[in-house]
Amino acid sequence: MKALFIGGVAWTKPVQRPFRQNLLKSPHMQRSLTCAANHKRVKPMKRAKFALVISAAFIGLLSTAGSAFALAAVAKSAVNVRTGPSVNYTRIDTLYAGEPVNVTECKSNGWCYVQQDGPDGWVSGNYLVRANPAPTHNPDPDVNFSIYFGTGGPSFGFSIGNPPPSPVVPKVCFFNGNNYSGASFCVAAGSQNSRLTGFWNNKISSVQVQPGARVQLCRNANYRGFCQTYSSSVPSLNPFLNNDVSSFKTY
C-alpha cells in the first residue's frame, strides 16, 4: 500500500497490477486463444466448400432436367443450324428431311434449340415437326369372365385376350314405291315376318339389300305361294311380287 498526502491528510489506495497483461500471458489462456483463432479460420472454409458442392449439384440437376424434358422432332425439309435464334447468326450445320432431333427450348420468334448427332444449335421451328411416338403394346391380355342365367341354369364364359369387334349385321330395307322411294322400314339380317299386317301388307315395291344379306319375299303369309330370293337390291319387284308381298325372311 502507498500513502498519498493531500491537504495534510494521508490517503491510501492499492497498487494497480497489470492483471490483463498477466492473464493474457498465462499458458491456459494462450491455448484457449489459439483454439478460438483456429475455429474462426476453419468455419468460413467449410461454408465455402459446402456452397461449392451445392452449386455443382444444382448445375448438374439443371443439365439432367434439360435433356429429360426434350421433345423428339424431325426435320420436315433441309434447314440450317445456327449459333443463335435468327438468320443473323452463323450457320454451323444443316439438317435434312427426316433427320431426328431433340428440341430443348423455343423462343417467342419461333426458333428452337435442338440437340442432334452433329453440332447442337438453333433452327427455325417452321422446319420441324413432332416425331410420331412408337406404338405401344400392351403385354397384359384382357381377361373376360361372364355368367349367364338361363332356363337350364347358369352358364359361365371365360376368355383371355381382347374380344373381337362386334360384327356389323347387314340390313334389308323395304320401300312402298319403286326406286327406293316412299315409306320404308329396315330390318337386320336374320329377321323374318310370317304375316305382314296393316299398311305394309301387299305394299312393298322395291328392296335394298346390303352386302352380305339376302331376302326371300313370298306372296302369301307363312312363306307360301310364289316366293323369290334376292341377294342384291331390287329397284322394282317383278309383277308377281310388286305390291303383293305378305311375308318375308332375311338371312
Side-chain angles (χ1 to χ4, degrees):
M1 302 288 287
K2 292 184 178 181
L4 180 63
F5 291 90
I6 300 176
V9 179
W11 297 83
T12 60
K13 67 174 183 178
V15 177
Q16 297 293 330
R17 296 181 182 274
F19 176 77
R20 175 180 174 84
Q21 289 80 356
N22 293 336
L23 179 63
L24 292 176
K25 291 180 180 179
S26 67
H28 178 74
M29 182 59 69
Q30 288 295 322
R31 286 194 299 270
S32 299
L33 292 176
T34 301
C35 292
N38 291 337
H39 181 66
K40 289 182 179 179
R41 286 196 297 270
V42 170
K43 286 186 67 177
M45 185 177 297
K46 287 185 178 179
R47 286 196 295 268
K49 288 182 178 179
F50 182 73
L52 182 61
V53 171
I54 292 298
S55 299
F58 183 68
I59 293 173
L61 179 62
L62 288 180
S63 301
T64 304
S67 59
F69 291 99
L71 180 66
V74 295
K76 294 192 295 185
S77 59
V79 58
N80 291 327
V81 181
R82 299 183 180 272
T83 57
S86 76
V87 294
N88 298 326
Y89 289 87
T90 305
R91 182 180 68 84
I92 56 176
D93 196 10
T94 301
L95 290 177
Y96 295 96
E99 283 197 63
V101 296
N102 287 324
V103 180
T104 60
E105 178 186 358
C106 287
K107 297 291 187 182
S108 58
N109 63 355
W111 283 71
C112 299
Y113 189 82
V114 300
Q115 297 174 338
Q116 54 153 339
D117 290 338
D120 300 340
W122 295 87
V123 301
S124 173
N126 295 329
Y127 293 87
L128 299 175
V129 63
R130 186 170 182 176
N132 293 326
T136 58
H137 173 67
N138 182 12
D140 299 325
D142 294 336
V143 178
N144 303 298
F145 181 76
S146 61
I147 303 177
Y148 172 74
F149 293 93
T151 57
S155 60
F156 302 90
F158 180 83
S159 64
I160 298 178
N162 296 324
S166 300
V168 178
V169 180
K171 295 181 180 180
V172 177
C173 297
F174 304 88
F175 296 84
N176 172 241
N178 292 328
N179 297 312
Y180 323 115
S181 62
S184 65
F185 71 95
C186 298
V187 298
S191 303
Q192 61 185 26
N193 192 322
S194 62
R195 185 183 297 272
L196 289 170
T197 59
F199 173 81
W200 285 104
N201 187 31
N202 297 326
K203 290 292 185 179
I204 296 175
S205 295
S206 58
V207 180
Q208 277 186 338
V209 182
Q210 292 184 352
R214 292 181 300 147
V215 60
Q216 182 188 53
L217 304 177
C218 298
R219 291 187 63 181
N220 299 332
N222 297 315
Y223 322 113
R224 295 180 179 178
F226 178 80
C227 296
Q228 189 166 357
T229 301
Y230 300 94
S231 58
S232 60
S233 299
V234 183
S236 180
L237 296 179
N238 67 53
F240 297 101
L241 291 173
N242 197 347
N243 287 327
D244 205 4
V245 175
S246 294
S247 59
F248 68 84
K249 289 182 179 180
T250 61
Y251 308 91

